[in-house]
Amino acid sequence: MWDRIKEKLGILADSAKYDVSCASSGSKRKNENKGLGNASNGICHAYTEDGRCVSLLKILLTNHCIYDCAYCVSRRSNDVKRAAFTVQEVVDLTINFYRRNYIEGLFLSSGIFKNADYTMERLVLVAKKLRTEHNFNGYIHLKLVPGASKELVEQAGQFADRLSVNIEIPTEEGLRLLAPDKKREDMLHPMRVLKNAIDESADRGPRPSSLALPAAASPAKSRLFAPAGQSTQMVIGATAEPDLTILKIADAFYKKMKLRRVYYSGYVPISTDNRLPAIGTPVPLIRENRLYQADWLIRWYGFSVDELLSANQPSLDMEIDPKLAWALQNLHVFPLDINTADLLLLKRIPGIGLQSAERIVQARRYSPLHWDQLKKMGVAINRARYFIICKGLPQQPKDYAAEQIRQFILSAGHSKYHPNFSPQLALFQ
Amino acid sequence: MNTVIYDGTFEGWLSTVFEVYERRLDDVRIIENDAPSLFGNSITITSDEAKAHRVWKGLCARISINAAKQLYRSFLSEEKGREDHLLAYARYALSAKLSIEYDYAHPSVRYVIDTDKKVRREKHRMEAFVRFALTADQIYYATVSPDFNVLPLIRRHFEQRYADQRWLIYDTHRKYGIYYDLHQTLPVTIEPANPACPADPACPADPSLPDSPNPIFTPDETQYQDLWRHYFQKVNIGARKNLKLHLRHMPTRYWKYLPEKRPSL
């Protein structure tokens, strides 16, 4: 029995791993029933050799699939071993891994067998069993199957912490080329249903007032509806969309669908299909990283997509991060005085992150900040020095041109990707 | 220079702060009692709950509860000389009208912020890297040897999470553990080499390596560890290999806890 489970686990983990989401934070599910687990922490229990966080048991229920999406390892025409877990097997694995502190919970996805609702029903069943039969309060992330009905989406939200539909291919044209059986609308529909349901549950308030409910009402936590919201993933580099298009789409998802996260997954070549990059093409890791940096700037630093990219410049700079790139194009904003600049502007200084910016604002109330103190407070002074004024600066900022500053910064440090991913190095491996 | 000797506990340190103010001591060095004293004119302080409480209350009146916790966690770092740094912090906090906790440019505040950060990182790692193994008497058992004394800090996390299972986390370096019996968590110190089966003479010496079939763990235990190890290998994407990042997140000194980083049978 163990050998069979192990084989299935191998197959169904292997085919789930291209989904990059690993988040287990952002929920607020507590262990109120002296049951098992809670979901509020966001802990990475391990890291794979590719450096990615392992937080959840991330598996497919089955990799049998009726679809033939060119970019997907589980596509119908692909000659891979197929397997399927029973609902009970997934439940048992989750509980036993969780009790040993291996995981924060379950991330369950699936190939589509029979049809969308048949598949979705089984995913919901796993979550329901965990919650109702095993008192499990750990994190559950369920994949919403494109084309799933409104009823099932709403049921999923009652048991899961997070739900996600992967858009995968950023544009409709790309989708038509690589996944002709799928329609973009089939993906957007469950997203919209979910968004409305989340909004409604927020309107009802997080906890029912005890007066409004009969005495036998279910405990407050059963009223949680997808408390960690929804997310999606876009594959980067399988089709030709530039960064501007990708970030515009992401931005629209954040604003219109209120997504918590958009994940960018550099395409890992897994197919000889000539519509896709050939096997052996490097994974666009740097591009992926730059997109995440830009995504952070948009969500946390108050930047808009249009400030970072334009039709004339639709791609992010691969050599320097997007904040530095923005600063170099907007040198008229700088230098900024550390001791007087607004928080919003401090956050725009290259080398100063959210935490440093907030600390500067708090610390300068006691006494004006000195260059030496900035260094110790965690500011990346090698970058910040060209953009700030403060006491004790080793040399006053000169009127350097953007290109000069760029070269100073590039020569002072080297990219963390350089030794790992340089193509030259690969020749000798 | 006044050398003050205390018992190494947080309560003892708070009592020391009380005495430093009471006796108006300047230029103080605080030393734990097992360190050899090279100075003749030393003062020995015994822990005093009432005095400790007064100092703690005084601190909490000047700084937020959050900053007070930072101070406490910094103490748990066991770092040499922390008692003096924390005394300087306490003096600064008690001397100012407004909270000094955000004065990040001040050396004492920075010491607390930086030390607390290290302790919290280790606390977080223990919450992540503890691996329970189920013993035959149904206790989920784990051994750790953290860089800092973080068991007091992780207790609540494990209580809240594993409310319906008995568990024991044992610090092999500090020779004590915390044991949750479904009702409360108690500190335990166990003399035999293996705290999971103290009464059993056949007990293996090192229970942190349950790789070989081991009578004290449930029969399924090795199977689950094997499944987990297999899972861990399968979720890796070879084309994205990045060992440097892997090691930064999972430094080798933690591997001894982790079934997924031990070779399979």
Side-chain angles (χ1 to χ4, degrees):
Chain A
M1 177 196 86
W2 291 103
D3 286 348
R4 182 69 192 122
I5 293 279
K6 184 171 170 180
E7 191 191 1
K8 285 197 212 177
L9 178 62
I11 294 168
L12 295 170
D14 195 51
S15 34
K17 69 187 176 190
Y18 298 100
D19 205 313
V20 294
S21 167
C22 81
S24 58
S25 54
S27 186
K28 51 187 174 196
R29 198 178 297 276
K30 291 199 170 76
N31 190 349
E32 283 168 337
N33 47 5
K34 231 183 184 252
L36 174 62
N38 49 13
S40 49
N41 299 77
I43 297 174
C44 296
H45 287 272
Y47 291 85
T48 49
E49 291 192 350
D50 55 23
R52 294 187 311 152
C53 159
V54 182
S55 182
L56 303 168
L57 171 62
K58 190 192 294 179
I59 46 175
L60 301 187
L61 190 58
T62 177
N63 64 342
H64 289 284
C65 193
I66 57 174
Y67 286 119
D68 203 31
C69 310
Y71 51 83
C72 180
V73 73
S74 301
R75 64 190 177 279
R76 190 181 61 223
S77 61
N78 200 19
D79 184 21
V80 290
K81 263 198 170 174
R82 306 281 165 169
F85 274 128
T86 65
V87 167
Q88 193 59 44
E89 283 168 342
V90 176
V91 168
D92 289 344
L93 268 177
T94 306
I95 296 286
N96 277 290
F97 278 9
Y98 195 87
R99 287 198 181 282
R100 287 169 174 76
N101 204 40
Y102 297 166
I103 52 171
E104 288 295 288
L106 174 68
F107 180 162
L108 189 61
S109 179
S110 185
I112 317 295
F113 48 108
K114 286 196 185 164
N115 60 53
D117 273 356
Y118 188 86
T119 310
M120 195 66 228
E121 246 176 63
R122 262 133 206 91
L123 297 184
V124 171
L125 196 59
V126 171
K128 184 178 179 180
K129 245 185 146 117
L130 280 166
R131 295 283 190 234
T132 56
E133 290 176 27
H134 294 265
N135 256 340
F136 179 73
N137 308 302
Y139 193 91
I140 298 179
H141 180 159
L142 286 189
K143 192 57 61 183
L144 289 180
V145 174
S149 69
K150 181 167 182 277
E151 291 69 32
L152 282 169
V153 171
E154 285 170 354
Q155 274 189 43
Q158 286 171 23
F159 301 113
D161 293 280
R162 169 163 289 180
L163 297 158
S164 62
V165 191
N166 281 0
I167 206 84
E168 302 293 13
I169 300 304
T171 57
E172 189 138 27
E173 302 80 70
L175 194 67
R176 217 174 296 130
L177 176 71
L178 296 177
D181 326 331
K182 271 191 189 159
K183 291 194 187 64
R184 193 174 172 84
E185 181 49 32
D186 289 343
M187 304 176 186
L188 296 180
H189 175 71
M191 272 188 183
R192 240 177 265 124
V193 170
L194 190 58
K195 182 209 165 256
N196 293 336
I198 291 173
D199 285 351
E200 269 174 42
S201 93
D203 290 345
R204 282 197 307 266
R207 273 157 197 279
S209 112
S210 51
L211 289 173
L213 281 164
S218 48
K221 73 177 203 54
S222 70
R223 304 253 317 197
L224 286 176
F225 187 90
Q230 61 169 326
S231 63
T232 193
Q233 162 172 301
M234 284 190 270
V235 175
I236 303 307
T239 40
E241 295 86 358
D243 298 328
L244 176 62
T245 309
I246 288 164
L247 287 173
K248 283 274 184 193
I249 294 169
D251 194 43
F253 276 137
Y254 286 129
K255 290 193 175 120
K256 291 183 190 151
M257 298 284 194
K258 295 192 189 158
L259 292 201
R260 295 283 187 92
R261 284 292 300 274
V262 173
Y263 291 92
Y264 309 95
S265 175
Y267 178 69
V268 179
I270 39 126
S271 167
T272 52
D273 192 314
N274 60 14
R275 288 171 292 177
L276 284 163
I279 286 179
T281 310
V283 183
L285 292 170
I286 301 180
R287 186 175 174 209
E288 189 186 286
N289 180 241
R290 296 289 179 233
L291 282 167
Y292 277 116
Q293 288 175 321
D295 183 282
W296 248 252
L297 292 182
I298 293 163
R299 286 189 301 140
W300 302 106
Y301 287 78
F303 283 85
S304 68
V305 179
D306 295 325
E307 285 180 289
L308 301 173
L309 292 172
S310 63
N312 294 328
Q313 195 162 20
S315 299
L316 294 166
D317 195 319
M318 290 298 113
E319 278 188 341
I320 55 173
D321 67 83
K323 192 160 117 179
L324 178 57
W326 175 84
L328 291 178
Q329 281 169 11
N330 293 277
L331 280 178
H332 59 274
V333 177
F334 303 101
L336 287 166
D337 188 334
I338 283 297
N339 285 304
T340 56
D342 281 350
L343 179 62
L344 267 172
L345 284 171
L346 286 176
K347 290 199 285 193
R348 292 191 167 224
I349 301 173
I352 295 183
L354 288 182
Q355 195 182 32
S356 299
E358 268 156 28
R359 282 189 179 174
I360 287 169
V361 171
Q362 281 167 328
R364 71 189 183 191
R365 287 201 293 242
Y366 297 89
S367 54
L369 294 174
H370 192 267
W371 169 253
D372 293 328
Q373 293 166 328
L374 277 189
K375 277 203 283 195
K376 289 175 184 157
M377 283 169 58
V379 171
I381 44 147
N382 274 339
R383 261 173 296 153
R385 65 194 306 164
Y386 303 103
F387 304 98
I388 60 171
I389 303 172
C390 80
K391 274 200 306 181
L393 204 64
Q395 60 188 103
Q396 289 310 305
K398 291 188 192 135
D399 277 338
Y400 288 124
E403 187 53 32
Q404 283 175 298
I405 298 176
R406 181 191 178 96
Q407 288 312 322
F408 289 143
I409 290 173
L410 280 176
S411 59
H414 55 264
S415 163
K416 60 189 168 186
Y417 293 105
H418 210 261
N420 259 323
F421 303 118
S422 134
Q424 281 87 347
L425 201 69
L427 287 174
F428 301 99
Q429 272 174 347
Chain B
M1 165 78 74
N2 293 292
T3 303
V4 177
I5 298 175
Y6 83 120
D7 61 8
T9 64
F10 187 58
E11 193 180 283
W13 177 81
L14 286 170
S15 308
T16 306
V17 177
F18 183 92
E19 296 294 342
V20 165
Y21 271 81
E22 181 82 357
R23 305 183 193 194
R24 297 175 192 282
L25 301 177
D26 289 328
D27 196 16
V28 178
R29 230 182 83 178
I30 308 175
I31 286 178
E32 201 178 322
N33 58 3
D34 56 43
S37 170
L38 301 171
F39 306 93
N41 60 336
S42 62
I43 305 163
T44 302
I45 306 282
T46 40
S47 277
D48 180 314
E49 204 186 321
K51 290 174 182 171
H53 185 69
R54 272 183 62 186
V55 172
W56 184 246
K57 250 182 77 182
L59 282 168
C60 289
R62 303 299 174 97
I63 56 178
S64 70
I65 186 67
N66 203 20
K69 282 181 182 168
Q70 288 176 342
L71 176 85
Y72 170 58
R73 285 190 297 254
S74 306
F75 183 83
L76 293 180
S77 70
E78 300 172 337
E79 205 167 80
K80 210 167 167 256
R82 71 192 183 289
E83 295 94 340
D84 298 336
H85 284 293
L86 297 183
L87 175 63
Y89 181 91
R91 279 189 198 271
Y92 185 36
L94 294 170
S95 71
K97 282 207 181 70
L98 294 171
S99 172
I100 48 86
E101 66 198 75
Y102 301 114
D103 191 358
Y104 299 111
H106 190 280
S108 298
V109 177
R110 217 169 40 238
Y111 176 84
V112 168
I113 299 276
D114 291 347
T115 312
D116 172 51
K117 190 175 166 189
K118 285 191 277 187
V119 175
R120 270 188 300 121
R121 188 193 295 138
E122 188 69 357
K123 165 191 179 278
H124 186 80
R125 277 178 171 154
M126 287 306 115
E127 288 168 359
F129 295 154
V130 155
R131 294 285 182 268
F132 289 120
L134 184 58
T135 66
D137 42 3
Q138 299 296 304
I139 296 173
Y140 285 87
Y141 172 66
T143 54
V144 292
S145 49
D147 292 350
F148 312 117
N149 182 18
V150 295
L151 289 197
L153 300 177
I154 63 174
R155 180 181 58 90
R156 252 171 69 86
H157 169 79
F158 283 98
E159 272 175 2
Q160 287 173 347
R161 173 158 293 196
Y162 299 110
D164 72 340
Q165 69 190 41
R166 292 190 293 156
W167 50 262
L168 194 167
I169 303 171
Y170 193 79
D171 183 336
T172 54
H173 178 57
R174 292 169 190 81
K175 305 256 183 291
Y176 83 103
I178 46 176
Y179 172 61
Y180 172 76
D181 65 2
L182 298 179
H183 305 288
Q184 56 181 336
T185 310
L186 298 166
V188 286
T189 49
I190 306 160
E191 282 311 310
N194 186 344
C197 48
D200 184 359
C203 203
D206 187 1
S208 64
L209 301 168
D211 266 324
S212 49
N214 191 327
I216 69 153
F217 291 102
T218 55
D220 289 353
E221 183 51 42
T222 43
Q223 301 291 352
Y224 279 113
Q225 291 189 14
D226 193 41
L227 285 176
W228 171 243
R229 191 179 296 118
H230 190 57
Y231 172 75
F232 179 73
Q233 283 153 7
K234 284 293 177 181
V235 288
N236 183 48
I237 298 180
R240 300 179 60 108
K241 186 173 172 176
N242 188 349
L243 277 179
K244 201 174 142 192
L245 190 59
H246 170 66
L247 287 172
R248 197 171 79 209
H249 287 308
M250 282 175 98
T252 46
R253 68 179 181 282
Y254 299 99
W255 289 13
K256 57 183 179 286
Y257 315 137
L258 307 172
E260 66 269 28
K261 294 305 293 181
R262 288 196 298 262
S264 57
L265 297 174

